[in-house]
Amino acid sequence: MTADLAMMPAHQLVKLYKGRKASPVEATKAAVARIEAFNPQLNAFQHLDPDAAMRAARASEKRWKKGGKRFSDLDGVPITIKDMVLTRGMPTRMGSLATDADGPWTVDAPVAQRLREAGTVLLGKTTSPEYGWKGVTDSGLFGATHNPWKIGRTSGGSSGGGVAAEAVGMGNLAIGTDGAGSVRIPCSFTGLFGLKPTQGRVPLWPASSQGTLSHIGPMTRTVKDAAMVMNVIARYDARDPYSRRDDEEDYLKGFDKGVKGLRIAYSPNLGFVEREKIDRDVAAAVEAAARVFRTLGAKVVEDSPDLMGLDPRRILNAHWQSNVAVLVKSFSEDKRALMDPGLLKAAEVGANLGQEAVVTAINQRQQVAVILNQFLAKYDLLLTPTMPMTAFAVNENAAWGGDGVDIGWTPFTLTFNLTRQPAATIPCGLDRDGLPIGLQIVGAHACDTLVMRAAAAYERVRPIPAPPMAHQI
């Protein structure tokens, strides 16, 4: 029973709590058992505190026994949080040897605070590359995180620890951050659902070095679980100047309405990605997924936005590299000597961009956002591949043999960090090596619920599978 609890979706787990058929203590013990079994192979955690987790689980169990006294519908559900999210009582190292191990760790970021207020059981902090600088997960501080579908392959990044844990039941929920795809890349590579919400809907503090490119969202084994998490974390917080006081969305409202009658654009290459760079298995799986939406009653049309010669890869690189340059400059020379050479190289590129290049990128970002806004005024949703490829080898900074300084190998995800629109990924098949492929579902600004509604409709006919490793306990 406890092994089943670890892989159980959160929304099913809380039903067992309500019926007194399972308890938060049992669920937490199940998660800890899986951590002991799988973390040595996957290296998904930078910090674990099973004693604190059990104290939280026992307190939640008492609330459920009292009946009606629980803090939220996620009370007692085991969850993990990415290293880059400040969490009281747990170190936030940013994956960096240049950070101070001693803290103090006395303050919660908004998301950590909301999860604590909701009564979730915080198992620990998951691995990230240094300051989330790349789309894979390895660092000099914690080493490399592996993919549960195939040891030796990357779990993606920069939220790679969270998905590696989530995929095999080392927690029933996970939180990641996303500055160019860092929720969607790892979810695509490990076969999970992940949502990059509309920027500002989930408060982010302390401010990211990547500014409004950065988002924070759920990584889950079902779409409904993500909606439940959003109902907890997507609430106003004065520490984020982009947080909306009037945003009281119910992310489960209309959840089961399906996609019948929706106008959906399917874009195989988003109008600018070279077709030869998209793996043939990825292209075929995403095209097949688009056909599924037709069978569900949506009006699917192949169409792509006209970006008028603007390349989101170049625009994102200018933002990202210049932001990294400012970040690295804030460290002393001694601290910089401890940092990832790839991060330092990206910072050097950013420092040499020049004012004109950076300001041009800022203006071009706005142009891309307007184009995508207008495109999604014609359609309810947009479907694209999430990634052009599946998971490659660990300890590589980027796909196609890149050094990671150019983030252009993740073109489909980074585009919607520029536009701030909601974008989710859901598994849509496996490649010839048995590795997951992701379908990206994009909505207009603030249409997060519609994105999840469409993902849920797809999930009902194409359930999300677990990796074989998850069944080895």
Side-chain angles (χ1 to χ4, degrees):
M1 177 65 175
T2 55
D4 293 338
L5 294 180
M7 288 300 296
M8 188 169 289
H11 68 272
Q12 294 179 9
L13 188 61
V14 294
K15 284 184 180 179
L16 293 185
Y17 291 172
K18 290 177 182 177
R20 306 288 179 89
K21 295 179 180 178
S23 77
V25 169
E26 292 172 328
T28 302
K29 286 181 177 178
V32 170
R34 283 185 170 252
I35 291 168
E36 292 171 350
F38 296 130
N39 196 50
Q41 301 171 69
L42 295 173
N43 187 36
F45 287 89
Q46 68 93 328
H47 176 79
L48 284 164
D49 193 341
D51 292 337
M54 287 306 302
R55 288 194 297 271
R58 286 191 289 270
S60 176
E61 185 175 72
K62 289 179 181 178
R63 291 191 293 272
W64 280 101
K65 286 181 177 180
K66 289 180 179 179
K69 300 294 184 181
R70 61 186 183 275
F71 291 164
S72 76
D73 286 339
L74 292 179
D75 201 331
V77 176
I79 191 168
T80 66
I81 300 179
K82 186 178 179 179
D83 183 24
M84 293 177 67
V85 181
L86 199 61
T87 310
R88 175 168 48 84
M90 296 184 180
T92 301
R93 298 297 308 277
M94 301 289 185
S96 179
L97 288 163
T99 55
D100 187 352
D102 295 329
W105 316 112
T106 57
V107 180
D108 276 329
V111 165
Q113 181 179 331
R114 297 291 175 265
L115 291 170
R116 207 183 297 275
E117 291 168 351
T120 61
V121 176
L122 305 183
L123 295 168
K125 304 291 288 292
T126 52
T127 51
S128 167
E130 191 163 20
Y131 281 92
W133 82 273
K134 54 186 175 180
V136 296
T137 298
D138 62 70
S139 70
L141 184 59
F142 298 118
T145 299
H146 290 253
N147 192 314
W149 286 82
K150 192 169 186 178
I151 299 298
R153 298 292 180 97
T154 181
S155 61
S158 60
S159 306
V163 294
E166 174 76 4
V168 296
M170 298 191 293
N172 300 76
L173 299 168
I175 296 293
T177 62
D178 189 315
S182 290
V183 161
R184 291 159 291 156
I185 298 166
C187 283
S188 181
F189 281 2
T190 60
L192 294 177
F193 177 77
L195 174 69
K196 179 195 76 66
T198 298
Q199 191 269 328
R201 296 205 93 162
V202 180
L204 190 60
W205 178 90
S208 167
S209 62
Q210 293 299 333
T212 58
L213 292 175
S214 292
H215 304 61
I216 185 165
M219 306 183 297
T220 58
R221 292 194 295 270
T222 71
V223 182
K224 189 171 184 178
D225 283 1
M228 292 175 69
V229 173
M230 286 293 288
N231 276 346
V232 168
I233 65 175
R235 293 296 177 258
Y236 175 75
D237 191 290
R239 292 172 289 180
D240 183 342
Y242 298 98
S243 181
R244 286 171 42 190
R245 189 180 293 275
D246 62 345
D247 192 352
E248 294 293 334
E249 187 89 52
D250 179 357
Y251 292 87
L252 289 170
K253 187 176 181 179
F255 187 77
D256 296 322
K257 287 179 65 176
V259 296
K260 187 175 182 180
L262 293 184
R263 300 162 300 157
I264 299 178
Y266 156 56
S267 179
N269 75 332
L270 204 46
F272 73 94
V273 182
E274 299 82 359
R275 300 288 182 120
E276 64 273 14
K277 288 191 173 182
I278 304 172
D279 182 274
R280 67 179 187 273
D281 291 346
V282 170
V286 173
E287 184 178 0
R291 291 196 296 269
V292 170
F293 279 90
R294 288 195 183 100
T295 68
L296 295 173
K299 300 174 182 178
V300 181
V301 177
E302 185 171 330
D303 195 7
S304 298
D306 180 2
L307 293 173
M308 304 176 66
L310 297 169
D311 189 334
R313 293 169 291 197
R314 187 174 302 163
I315 299 166
L316 193 289
N317 272 329
H319 282 79
W320 169 67
Q321 291 162 348
S322 58
N323 287 333
V324 165
V326 173
L327 169 69
V328 168
K329 190 176 180 180
S330 68
F331 287 89
S332 68
E333 187 175 343
D334 289 346
K335 293 291 187 181
R336 288 198 294 271
L338 301 173
M339 300 180 94
D340 189 319
L343 174 61
L344 297 177
K345 186 175 180 181
E348 182 181 359
V349 172
N352 291 314
L353 280 175
Q355 183 183 56
E356 182 177 350
V358 174
V359 173
T360 297
I362 292 170
N363 292 334
Q364 289 179 338
R365 177 186 182 184
Q366 294 174 329
Q367 294 174 51
V368 170
V370 170
I371 291 168
L372 266 298
N373 279 348
Q374 292 174 329
F375 184 79
L376 278 161
K378 297 189 299 179
Y379 299 102
D380 296 299
L381 295 165
L382 168 63
L383 306 178
T384 78
T386 305
M387 295 298 295
M389 75 294 289
T390 54
F392 45 91
V394 296
N395 292 317
E396 294 184 13
N397 281 341
W400 306 320
D403 59 8
V405 172
D406 183 341
I407 199 67
W409 59 276
T410 177
F412 297 107
T413 61
L414 64 80
T415 298
F416 301 102
N417 293 84
L418 292 172
T419 67
R420 304 170 59 242
Q421 291 162 317
T425 183
I426 191 167
C428 66
L430 302 175
D431 74 355
R432 54 195 171 274
D433 294 324
L435 294 169
I437 296 167
L439 167 72
Q440 183 170 232
I441 306 173
V442 182
H445 189 83
C447 290
D448 307 61
T449 53
L450 183 60
V451 168
M452 286 193 285
R453 175 179 138 194
Y458 182 82
E459 180 190 26
R460 281 193 286 274
V461 295
R462 296 289 189 274
I464 297 174
M469 175 183 277
H471 305 295
Q472 297 173 6
I473 191 171

